[in-house]
Each structure stands twice: as structure tokens, then as C-alpha cells.
Amino acid sequence: MSGALRIKVHARDGLAVAVEIDSPRVDPSAVFIGRTPEEAAVLASRLFSLCPSAQSIATRAATGLPSQPNETLALLCEKLTELLRASLLDWPGAAPAPDDIATLRDALSLLRRAPDAAALRDALARLAPFFACQHAEAAEDDDAMRLSPRRADFLTPDDDVLVIDALWSDRTFCRAPALPGRRVETGIAARRGLAHGGLAARVAARQAEMLDAVAAMTNLCDGGAAPDLVSRGAGYAAVDSARGRLYHACKLDASGRISDYRMVAPTEWNFHPDGPFARLIAGARIGEGADAKRRVERLAFAFDPCIKAEAEILELAHA
């Protein structure tokens, strides 16, 4: 389980009683200190294997560098890349057929070049049977788990200043971010206002998000208005990345080099030890053995962690 998001679920008679979440992720912010903004932006694009465009754009914006042409298109292409790749390769269920993998490879190749919206729509259409199977598997687990409805609380641009203040007030904030009295969620559910979303609803929203990304690319390439994906403030930036709201904050010294740097990624909000994922899984009827492990990992997948989630089910003895 090295390098994975470890989820330990304590269960009794098939019911999730308590959840522990352990993330191996480290805070990379210190690597930017002492560098110029230009150096930091280049480093960000190379340092992060997932969402490098979002990370580099956030670094540019936080350090005060001007925006570059086609930033929005780059973010949309990256969003579709991440969603497609994870949907086919990370789903804890039926494996994609060889033809599906070939379609994925073709789509990812298109996204690395000038995106062809018609070809991307065709790729999504060819993957529809796989997505339908995925949704059916999710619906079966929903029926079994009987997830309890919870009040949705989403991270929004209105929270940006609070988040940046918290980042500067506490260097450890990035490990388990929380706003006072709240355990917010970010990502697809937040973008789509998915209140009380169970597993099947989240899988369906993920598929709709991919179609919307292609539609936004088409609109942008046809000269339409660009969606607002980057928020710039004094010494900080928030980017609406594939997995949710990504924050970077920066302080420069008198020579224009970075003297301090902070960031918080979407995964840390969604997988806070007492965050939205933990609260949703608590009390769920996950079952036992392999079924329980699969259901927990599927629900984790639906919250879109940036590293693989692996579940361990610990059966509690009766009192």
C-alpha cells in the first residue's frame, strides 16, 4: 500500500462504524523558495505528474506573472485527460476491453495536440458501453450501502480569502484543511451542485463533466466566452482544476525571489479525516470481505483522489 491513500474502515456486521484516512502525500511548497517566479512556474510544470498545467498556471498567477494564451483551453484539455484516464484505469470494477483502451489512447493523443472536439465526442460515444457498465456497478453498490443523505457544503470562490488566510496562519493547514465549523467538498460534485450524491450519482456526474469539457472546448475554439477557471488575488491564486479547487500562495522578497510558498490540493479537502468522504462512508452498509473493500474503494474513486486509494476492512469484535 506504499504511495497510496490508505483508508481503514472499522466495521461490525457489515456496517462501517469508523474511518481512518492516512495520506502519504508531502507538501512540496519548499522547493519553490529562493526561485524566481519564472523558475517556479517551469518547475511546477515538471514536478507534478498529475495536473501539471493547473499547477504551473497556479504558480504563475500566485507569483504575479501574467496569464498566457490558451490557459483555459489547456485546463479543459487537462480536465478531460485526467477524468478519462482515471475513469478507465482506476475504477475498482470491470476492466475496460482492449478496444476501450485503444480509444483512450487515441483520445489522450488528441488532447496532447490541438483538440479535435468532434473526434473527442466520438471517443466518448465509443466508450459509452463501458461507462454504462460502470454506472450499473455503482448503482448496485448504492442499493447495498444505503448511504445516508448529508448536507452538502461546497468550497466556492467566496471561500478563497478564508483559505489563503488559513494557509498563512498555519503551515500544517495544507495537510488537513478545514474551514471553521465546516467540512467542505471540492471537485465535480461542487461544480455541479450535487447535493446528497451517492456513488451512482457521482459516477454519472463524472461522465457528464467529460461531455461538458468537450462542449466548453468547442465553444472556446469557436470564439465563445471562456469559462472562469483561474482566480487571482494579491499573492495567491485559485485554479478550478480537474479534481477541484487548487490553491497556491506566495510571498516575494525584495529581490523578487520567492521567500515563502504555500499550497493546498483538492484531495486534502475531500479526504480530510473528518471530511466529506469520511462522513459519507460512516454508517454505510459496506458488507464484508472483498465486497466491502470494493465498495469503499469505489466511493473513494468517486471523490477523485490524486493518488490511488486502497481500503482495509477491520472487523470489530462484538462487545
Side-chain angles (χ1 to χ4, degrees), residues 89-174:
L89 302 183
D90 294 346
W91 172 247
D99 284 350
D100 295 329
I101 295 297
T103 298
L104 171 64
R105 189 163 47 244
D106 291 345
L108 297 184
S109 178
L110 281 170
L111 287 162
R112 285 191 292 269
R113 307 193 304 267
D116 181 332
L120 289 169
R121 280 194 296 271
D122 178 67
L124 291 176
R126 282 184 278 142
L127 291 171
F130 173 80
F131 292 142
C133 177
Q134 192 174 76
H135 187 266
E137 290 178 322
E140 287 181 7
D141 281 342
D142 262 346
D143 290 341
M145 286 191 289
R146 305 180 202 172
L147 297 170
S148 300
R150 63 180 182 87
R151 183 180 64 84
D153 189 359
F154 299 132
L155 194 63
T156 75
D158 292 340
D159 298 314
D160 287 355
V161 173
L162 283 175
V163 173
I164 298 305
D165 287 347
L167 269 174
W168 287 126
S169 299
D170 180 4
R171 184 170 286 279
T172 66
F173 176 82
C174 64

Side-chain angles (χ1 to χ4, degrees), residues 281-305:
I281 200 72
R285 297 183 181 276
I286 58 173
E288 299 177 350
D291 286 343
K293 176 178 168 63
R294 184 196 67 240
R295 286 169 183 147
V296 173
E297 289 179 351
R298 281 182 177 174
L299 193 60
F301 164 88
F303 278 82
D304 213 2

Side-chain angles (χ1 to χ4, degrees), residues 7 10 28 33 45 56 95 106 138 148 171 187 230 232 253 267-268 279 284 288 293-294 313:
I7 302 169
H10 299 267
I33 295 176
S45 68
S56 181
D106 291 345
S148 300
R171 184 170 286 279
V230 182
R232 294 169 174 261
D253 63 20
T267 295
E268 318 314 335
R279 292 188 174 194
E288 299 177 350
K293 176 178 168 63
R294 184 196 67 240
I313 311 301

